[in-house]
Amino acid sequence: MASNFCLKTLAILALAFALCVQGSLGGVTCENLKEETCAFAVSSKGERCVLEKRVRRSGEEVFTCRSSTIEADKIKDWIETDKCIEACGLSRESLGISSDSLLESSFTEKLCSPNCYGSCPNIIDLYFNLAAGEGVFLPKLCEAQEGSKRRGMSETRGSNNVAPGPDYRLQPMKFMVAPAMSPY
């Protein structure tokens, strides 16, 4: 009877210890990250972390890290390295997630550089999806950037010029379209 009690107690203690270890080693939680590591991090659930700024009534700025609704593809528990932040032309002080930087040719030049594109899968995955949301295929954007360092996303997407419509005499063709996949 005493041994049965000891076994139950031991089992309960083992379960409690396992839960404590899992909680402490559970991975990245955006809300627990500091301002210096928040931007471009990915939680253990695969959610991208975003740095947000709030201004208190006193005028003091307060920064907090939150989980976003944007999920990373196949990446979890990731805090981006300073090496990748620098190589890709990013900043730890970046607030939120936006595709606006893709419009700047100096940014796309760094993003498409071998030091970033070939070495920083988390950042490339993020900007691949942001570009796709704008109707741009990131590898094509980088190809255009490589071909002409002066050309940016605005030229790749086109200006106000409109392509001519289809010739009414041509027969329609059926194309199969596969979804674009991130290179990582």
Side-chain angles (χ1 to χ4, degrees), residues 68-100:
S68 72
T69 57
I70 300 172
E71 293 186 5
D73 293 335
K74 303 175 190 170
I75 299 174
K76 293 181 179 181
D77 285 325
W78 191 284
I79 295 178
E80 196 53 73
T81 64
D82 291 334
K83 181 180 175 183
C84 280
I85 296 289
E86 185 178 333
C88 299
L90 299 169
S91 169
R92 288 277 184 202
E93 291 84 35
S94 296
L95 300 174
I97 296 175
S98 172
S99 62
D100 292 350

Side-chain angles (χ1 to χ4, degrees), residues 28-140:
V28 175
T29 303
C30 297
E31 288 72 17
N32 295 339
L33 293 178
K34 295 181 180 179
E35 180 181 337
E36 300 82 30
T37 55
C38 178
F40 309 104
V42 180
S43 75
S44 57
K45 294 179 182 179
E47 298 167 335
R48 293 203 173 272
C49 302
V50 292
L51 186 61
E52 295 178 346
K53 178 175 79 170
R54 292 188 185 148
V55 180
R56 294 186 175 166
R57 290 182 199 167
S58 64
E60 177 189 8
E61 294 178 342
V62 178
F63 295 91
T64 55
C65 189
R66 302 250 185 246
S67 297
S68 72
T69 57
I70 300 172
E71 293 186 5
D73 293 335
K74 303 175 190 170
I75 299 174
K76 293 181 179 181
D77 285 325
W78 191 284
I79 295 178
E80 196 53 73
T81 64
D82 291 334
K83 181 180 175 183
C84 280
I85 296 289
E86 185 178 333
C88 299
L90 299 169
S91 169
R92 288 277 184 202
E93 291 84 35
S94 296
L95 300 174
I97 296 175
S98 172
S99 62
D100 292 350
S101 53
L102 289 169
L103 294 169
E104 301 169 22
S105 61
S106 60
F107 172 74
T108 55
E109 186 176 338
K110 284 191 171 189
L111 182 70
C112 297
S113 72
N115 290 342
C116 178
Y117 199 89
S119 304
C120 304
N122 173 43
I123 291 174
I124 296 304
D125 176 69
L126 171 62
Y127 281 95
F128 181 91
N129 291 323
L130 289 174
E134 299 293 330
V136 177
F137 186 53
L138 186 62
K140 289 286 186 190

